[in-house]
Amino acid sequence: MSARCQVLGTVPGFGHSISHSHVRTKRRFDPNIHRKRYWVPSLGRTVTLRVSARGIKTIDRDGIDVVVARIRARGEKV
């Protein structure tokens, strides 16, 4: 599975690891992804989402019903 947040769409960033001798090697900055279950009253069931830590804060702020509606409006299956 890809390291992608279903709520925010956060994807990995790319850059360099820089050693003490200043040699640069490619590396990948993955988002902090968690698999989390939520009860969605409008659907009458639980949904499992792959969300980043910032996505969890967004759900806490806006509410799960609003966030699931946004995800479904983008055409993603929930």
Side-chain angles (χ1 to χ4, degrees), residues 1 9 11 20-21 23 37 42-44 47 49 62 65-66 68 70-72 74 77-78:
M1 293 191 118
V11 294
H20 179 68
S21 65
V23 173
R37 291 178 67 208
S42 62
L43 300 177
V47 294
L49 298 174
D62 297 342
D65 284 325
V66 173
V68 167
R70 282 186 208 145
I71 293 170
R72 294 181 87 181
R74 282 197 310 255
K77 186 178 175 184
V78 179

Side-chain angles (χ1 to χ4, degrees), residues 15-74:
H16 292 94
S17 289
I18 302 180
S19 68
H20 179 68
S21 65
H22 216 70
V23 173
R24 295 173 185 220
T25 55
K26 293 294 282 181
R27 65 157 291 180
R28 179 172 144 150
F29 295 90
D30 284 326
N32 188 8
I33 299 290
H34 300 276
R35 178 167 281 137
K36 196 151 169 56
R37 291 178 67 208
Y38 288 99
W39 170 255
V40 183
S42 62
L43 300 177
R45 64 182 176 95
T46 60
V47 294
T48 302
L49 298 174
R50 286 175 50 86
V51 293
S52 62
R54 203 172 113 221
I56 292 172
K57 292 176 185 178
T58 301
I59 292 170
D60 289 343
R61 185 187 70 221
D62 297 342
I64 188 64
D65 284 325
V66 173
V67 173
V68 167
R70 282 186 208 145
I71 293 170
R72 294 181 87 181
R74 282 197 310 255

